[in-house]
Every structure is written in structure tokens, then in C-alpha cells.
Amino acid sequence: MAIRKLPALVVNQIAAGEVVERPASVVKELVENAIDAGATRIAVTIEHGGRDLIRVTDNGRGIAFGDLPLAVAAHATSKIESSADLEAVTTLGFRGEALASIASISRMSLVSRAAGTDEAGRLDIEGQHRGEPRPASGPPGTTVTVRDLFFNTPARRKFIRADATETARVTQAVEALALAHAQVGVSLACDGRVALELPPDAGTHRRVLDVLGAELEPELLAFSLSERGLVISGMAGRPGIARTTARHQTVLVNGRPVSDRSITHAIREAYRGLIEPGRYPTIVLFLEIDPQQVDVNVHPTKAEVRFRTPSMVHGAVLSAIRRRLREADLTPSFELQRATASPGGGPASGGGPAFGSGSWSWSGPGRSITEFLAVGEERRGESSMEIEVLPVIKHVGEVLQVHSSYLVTQDEQGLIIVDQHALHERVMFETLLEAVSKGNLESQRLLMPAIVEVDAARLDLLEPLGPLFVRIGIEAEPAGPAAIAIHAFSSFLFDRGVEPSEFLLELLDRTAREGVNDDPEAALHETLDMMSCKAAIKAGDRLSDREIAELLAQRERVERSSNCPHGRPTTLRLTIRDLEKQFGRR
Ligand code: ADP
Ligand code: MG
């Protein structure tokens, strides 16, 4: 085939392939245009997940009648003029590509009345058929209507998912932009149903609550930090409202929702040890940065950015969130359920207080308290649905040890229940972390080497694990083709009565299962985690008065003591307020 220039339609459709993946991409581009036009109100309507109809109406500055054809032409924009402008983009759009791309794969109509004019103009485009602008009537501002998305690109149409899925994506896209632009009133209607109604001039705090749900207010910690030209702020969810998906994690850089690996990593780091692996914190994070310090021209949908100094951004985000989490009292509160527990542990509907049901449920939006407690209860196989009021076994001063597993005490807000294993595990972990930050852990020579029988695969792990062993004070070498000799063992574990061969076998088994972690710090943390679990007091261990007092004193001393290293809570609080409610005193 001879080389030839592609027709404009094909060029635009190729661009659309990058920019418009699904209905939510169209909504995002149109809402961005409305924000760039200075709109204070934006109304989004979609039908059938956006596949049949997407309409975005704004009250922004509009498009002049004569400019309507240009607005839908490729590489036509009013937002930048020269390549120098690319060095510091201050608008959401700048590529001049969105309307042209969308018009090439849908039936689009553009109705706009520019500020200060009396008449609107209208332009209809269907694939390559571009009409002429015609006079129309309408209020100041712009309405873009997109029908039959992908009607002429069947391959793309096949990738549209169920209406509910596409609607959820659209909602997420609108929410992210609305979070970033609290001054703008935003509404979203899906198939005639109001999905979002966000009033203008909300202020960031209000807007975050409007989007995430006002009931989350007590669960959110506002944070802010400004250093070296970076202004970081936002709301960080308490560990209890972490989710199984990253959907409730929104990062906004200069008003632009982005997914950025270094920021995501910093968020995960800040929450390390506070939430369980596989869960994502709920967080909205705003980063304001000199536009010259961030390149937004790296991704067709502008979903990614590139920072000039990513490590500075990473460090600042990490310390902003970490500092706030450290300041906060992260002890989750819970309420006694007022109604009888229904099977499955959920709250039963209606009904007055059911005295004596003895069933507790977590009041927060996270997991039920029975789930929390079930962690410690697994060993005993109690029903995980109902926690009975159990007889007190031990009474120490003002602390009770219940079932040799939980410590019950009080603070100024109410009743405190501590999972002795979980708390001690955290204490051990922090102790180890501190020790290892100062050097290799102390090691104890064994009088007789401990011999562990292993298979070839585990024997082969000795070498890659070598550097880790040095850090935790283990000295081991092959002893023939199917055995390992342990010559020295971590004094810490030794003192806590942990059996060297058992520990080594478990470590090898885990590594055989999960592979050698190529991030040595992460591998070290995982191992310290395992060491703390082994060394910690177990559920079922009877504690002396002194041990109890020491453990509770350490709770005050160590960091992140609200959660065990796996992120499960160590402590729960039942507030006096809740008790009063339960007993009908209020
Ligand atoms: P970009 O946003 O990158 O400039 P678009 O293709 O999205 O490219 O839009 C092209 C141009 O059309 C914009 O630069 C702007 O001048 C105009 N435009 C698009 N949407 C609107 C709107 N809602 N209000 C006012 N002008 C708009
Ligand atoms: Mg645009």
C-alpha cells in the first residue's frame, strides 16, 4: 500500500482510541471543559451507562458562534498557544483533542451561548458529517450532547460493560472532579434518577463529606502540610474504614484527579501496619504544586503526571499523613446493638432495645465488632456471631483479664477492651523495628547446633535469605543434602522461648510459598512481623499483675499501638455515652 495522509475522521478516531475508553472518559473531558470555562454549575445527565446519551450543561463563558467549528476541530484549543505554555499548564485541558475525538465516534451536538451575547449557536456532528453552526436559543453557557457513543466503532462498543458498571465509573469520574472543585455546583442524573447533587461554594471540607457521606465525618482526619512550595491537605480515613478496593482513594494534583505511583506508595506507607494488607485507606488528598514542577503532558487522558522531584512529593505526602495518624487516637469505638442480632450478625430492623441479647456490633462503616473479635476468638471456635457476656476470670486493680485473652479497663471516655495478643504483637514489632534500625539484631550462640531437616527447595533458600538472617541474628548453614544446622539464633526470640528450628522451618515454608521478596526492607518487615507474632503473649495466656501493668504501660509508649502489625485493632472502646444510651439513661 502506498503511503498516504489519513483522512481527518480516521485521525480523530485514532486519537479517540486513546482518549475515550468508555462513557466515563467522555464525561470526564466534558466536565473538565466546563470547569475550564469557569462554570459555577455543571449538570451531567446519562442514560444507559452513557452509551445512549451523555449530556453536560454548564453556565461557563461559552463558545463564540464563529468558533463552534473550531471547538470540534482537532488540535484546536483556546488554552495554550506555544510550547512554552506546555511547561506550566494551569487548565485541565490543553491538548485540543477531546471534542474532535468524541465527535468522531458519536452523534454530537454543541449548543453554546458566549458570555455577553444574546444568541446561542448550535452545531451538529455525526461522524464525518459536520454541519454548519445555526442560530439557536439557550441560556449563557454550553451544552454538549453525545448520543450513541461508538456507533461507528463497533470494536470499542463491545468493551462497554453493563449499565451499572459504566454508571459507577461515570459517578466516580464526576465525584473526583467535584472533589477537586468545591466551588462548582455539580449534579449527576442517571436514567432520570438523581445520583449526585452537590451544592456550589461548598468549601473543601464540606465537599469531601458530601461526596464520601456525612456519616463518615467522625472517621475522617483532616491533615495539612506545607513545605518547600508544596501544599498538601486532605482528609484521611481512620483504619476502620479502609476498603477492599482503592475506589475511595482520590488524589488531586492542582485540581486534577490523577493516579500517581509515588503518591499511592506514600499513602500505603503512611498506613503501614494500621490496616490489613489488601485493604486501601479511604482518603482524599490535595496537592498544590508549582505547575512548572509537574508535567501533565505524559498521558493522553491526563490521568498520570510526572513530578520533577518525585522523592520530595513522596516524602511530603508520607509525612503529612503519617503525622496526622500518629497524633490521632485511633482506638475504634463501638456500640452495643440496640436490637436483637439477626442471623449473619447484621442489625435487625426496628424493635426496641433487646436486653440480654448480649450481641455487639460495630457501629462504624467498617467491619462488625464480631468480625474484629472473631480474630482473637478463632482458636476457641466460639460462634463469631454472638459474643456472650463472659464471667470475669481475673481482677487486677482496675484491670480485668477476661478469658485469659482480653484486658478490660477504662479511660476518661469509657470502657477499654484490649486484645492482649494483638497489643503485645505491636509492642514486640515496634521494639524489633527500633532495634534493627540501630544495627543487626543481637544473636545468641547455641551450645549444640539445632538441626532442621528440609527438602532441596528449602535448602536452596538459605543463600538468598542469607542477608536477612544476618540482620535478624540467625546463623545457619547446610548440613548435608537435606538438613540445615542453626548455629546462632536471635536472642530476642530465644528469650521469648521461641524454638529455633520451628521458627526457621516456618520462615522457609513461607518463603517457599510466597517467593523471596526482592524488596529487602519489605522482607525484613514481614519477618519482624512474624517474629513479633511468635514472641507475643498468646490469647489464653494467664498474665501476672505485673505483666498486665507492663503491657498496658507499653501501649502508651509505642507507636501505632491502636493496631497490630497486620492492621487489626488491638483496642476497642465502648463509650460512656453509648452505655448510657443502652441503659436508657438518655
Ligand atoms: P481542550 O480542552 O484541550 O482545549 P477540547 O477539545 O476539550 O480541547 O475543547 C476545545 C476547545 O473548545 C476548548 O479549548 C475551549 O475553547 C472550547 N470549549 C470546549 N468545551 C467548552 C465549554 N464547555 N465551555 C466553553 N468552551 C469550551
Ligand atoms: Mg478539553
Side-chain angles (χ1 to χ4, degrees):
M1 232 183 345
I3 301 178
R4 74 197 77 193
K5 278 227 156 206
L6 288 172
L9 176 74
V10 182
V11 171
N12 289 335
Q13 287 186 338
I14 290 172
E18 291 188 316
V19 179
V20 186
E21 196 189 343
R22 53 189 346 125
S25 333
V26 173
V27 172
K28 169 186 173 294
E29 294 294 339
L30 299 182
V31 172
E32 285 186 355
N33 280 346
I35 293 171
D36 281 345
T40 56
R41 295 213 176 237
I42 301 173
V44 183
T45 305
I46 62 165
E47 278 170 22
H48 288 119
R51 110 183 42 215
D52 291 358
L53 172 93
I54 295 168
R55 175 175 290 137
V56 176
T57 299
D58 69 59
N59 64 351
R61 66 181 74 91
I63 304 169
F65 190 86
D67 280 350
L68 284 172
L70 261 187
V72 295
H75 314 299
T77 178
S78 58
K79 300 174 192 177
I80 58 167
E81 277 180 34
S82 64
S83 50
D85 293 342
L86 269 185
E87 300 293 311
V89 175
T90 55
T91 47
L92 294 169
F94 59 90
R95 300 168 54 97
E97 223 175 16
L99 290 187
S101 305
I102 298 166
S104 72
I105 49 165
S106 70
R107 302 182 222 270
M108 179 195 272
S109 96
L110 194 58
V111 177
S112 191
R113 183 172 138 199
T117 62
D118 309 330
E119 214 184 16
R122 177 186 177 116
L123 186 65
D124 293 286
I125 313 116
E126 183 180 323
Q128 72 260 56
H129 307 294
R130 285 163 188 249
E132 288 293 313
R134 291 179 282 132
S137 62
T142 304
T143 295
V144 181
T145 307
V146 174
R147 291 181 193 276
D148 305 328
L149 186 63
F150 301 134
F151 81 96
N152 53 359
T153 48
R156 261 297 150 100
R157 199 165 55 227
K158 279 199 208 112
F159 285 97
I160 300 193
R161 303 261 161 254
D163 286 3
T165 310
E166 298 300 341
T167 300
R169 302 260 193 160
V170 166
T171 309
Q172 203 176 346
V174 174
E175 281 177 349
L177 283 163
L179 281 170
H181 301 274
Q183 78 283 5
V184 185
V186 179
S187 69
L188 170 65
C190 307
D191 298 313
R193 189 182 50 84
V194 177
L196 281 177
E197 186 68 75
L198 305 166
D201 293 320
T204 302
H205 187 90
R206 186 72 252 153
R207 178 56 58 92
V208 171
L209 294 178
D210 284 347
V211 171
L212 295 189
E215 74 282 358
L216 284 192
E217 186 162 20
E219 304 296 326
L220 296 170
L221 305 163
F223 60 90
S224 64
L225 176 133
S226 127
E227 69 177 32
R228 292 192 279 178
L230 300 178
V231 180
I232 294 167
S233 62
M235 310 267 266
R238 291 174 182 276
I241 58 167
R243 304 299 172 92
T244 48
T245 71
R247 178 160 157 23
H248 293 276
Q249 197 162 300
T250 309
V251 174
L252 305 151
V253 175
N254 291 349
R256 185 190 298 281
V258 298
S259 67
D260 178 76
R261 284 171 90 191
S262 67
I263 294 183
T264 312
H265 184 265
I267 294 173
R268 210 177 36 235
E269 273 298 293
Y271 277 89
R272 178 146 74 176
L274 289 175
I275 56 178
E276 293 163 47
R279 285 188 171 253
Y280 300 82
T282 296
I283 188 167
V284 180
L285 183 132
F286 300 89
L287 170 65
E288 297 298 324
I289 183 170
D290 177 354
Q292 304 217 17
Q293 292 297 314
V294 52
D295 187 358
V296 292
N297 185 26
V298 293
H299 193 269
T301 67
K302 302 160 288 177
E304 285 169 23
V305 294
R306 194 173 293 139
F307 295 109
R308 295 256 141 96
T309 48
S311 58
M312 186 171 98
V313 172
H314 182 274
V317 169
L318 175 59
S319 65
I321 305 169
R322 186 183 268 174
R323 196 175 68 187
R324 186 63 187 94
L325 291 173
R326 280 186 183 167
E327 277 165 18
D329 177 358
L330 295 178
T331 306
S333 296
F334 62 96
E335 284 179 352
L336 290 167
Q337 196 67 32
R338 289 199 65 145
T340 332
S342 53
S349 55
F355 297 109
S357 82
S359 158
W360 296 354
S361 101
W362 162 242
S363 69
R367 291 151 306 151
S368 71
I369 185 182
T370 46
E371 269 181 83
F372 279 165
L373 294 181
V375 174
E377 296 297 328
E378 270 159 14
R379 254 168 247 107
R380 280 195 293 277
E382 283 183 355
S383 154
S384 72
M385 252 142 52
E386 294 219 347
I387 304 296
E388 300 160 50
V389 179
L390 303 167
V392 168
I393 288 186
K394 196 165 186 187
H395 180 187
V396 185
E398 292 187 354
V399 185
L400 314 178
Q401 190 191 21
V402 179
H403 273 221
S404 300
S405 297
Y406 300 102
L407 307 178
V408 179
T409 180
Q410 60 172 334
D411 72 354
E412 65 291 347
Q413 292 178 56
L415 188 73
I416 299 287
I417 305 173
V418 173
D419 177 332
Q420 65 187 36
H421 171 70
L423 175 58
H424 198 227
E425 202 176 349
R426 166 59 76 185
V427 169
M428 298 280 95
F429 183 77
E430 294 296 328
T431 310
L432 284 170
L433 202 60
E434 205 194 319
V436 84
S437 73
K438 293 183 180 143
N440 296 338
L441 296 184
E442 210 178 287
S443 159
Q444 164 122 13
R445 200 137 275 287
L446 306 185
L447 288 175
M448 292 270 288
I451 304 294
V452 190
E453 283 178 25
V454 288
D455 59 13
R458 281 166 182 69
L459 192 64
D460 286 346
L461 289 173
L462 262 195
E463 200 184 307
L465 286 176
L468 175 72
F469 283 0
V470 172
R471 294 203 70 179
I472 62 174
I474 293 182
E475 208 184 297
E477 60 175 17
I484 292 173
I486 309 173
H487 296 290
F489 191 55
S490 148
S491 317
F492 172 88
L493 291 177
F494 206 79
D495 294 347
R496 303 276 325 156
V498 177
E499 192 59 49
S501 41
E502 246 173 57
F503 180 82
L504 190 77
L505 257 186
E506 205 175 312
L507 186 56
L508 291 173
D509 281 347
R510 208 193 55 191
T511 314
R513 222 174 27 243
E514 294 168 13
V516 180
N517 195 329
D518 32 71
D519 176 351
E521 280 310 295
L524 177 66
H525 275 240
E526 277 169 16
T527 310
L528 296 185
D529 202 349
M530 192 178 141
M531 292 170 74
S532 354
C533 185
K534 295 264 155 275
I537 295 163
K538 304 283 178 296
D541 286 353
R542 289 214 176 190
L543 303 183
S544 70
D545 296 8
R546 229 185 98 180
E547 286 169 321
I548 290 176
E550 253 169 37
L551 183 56
L552 291 181
Q554 277 166 322
R555 178 169 189 274
E556 306 304 317
R557 274 202 296 273
V558 307
E559 283 191 13
R560 296 176 283 197
S561 64
S562 58
N563 297 74
C564 79
H566 316 283
R568 294 191 289 262
T570 62
T571 312
L572 299 173
R573 179 189 285 118
L574 181 57
T575 65
I576 293 298
R577 273 174 68 113
D578 290 333
L579 279 175
E580 285 177 340
K581 218 162 75 190
Q582 293 300 323
F583 285 114
R585 285 164 159 271
R586 284 197 170 213

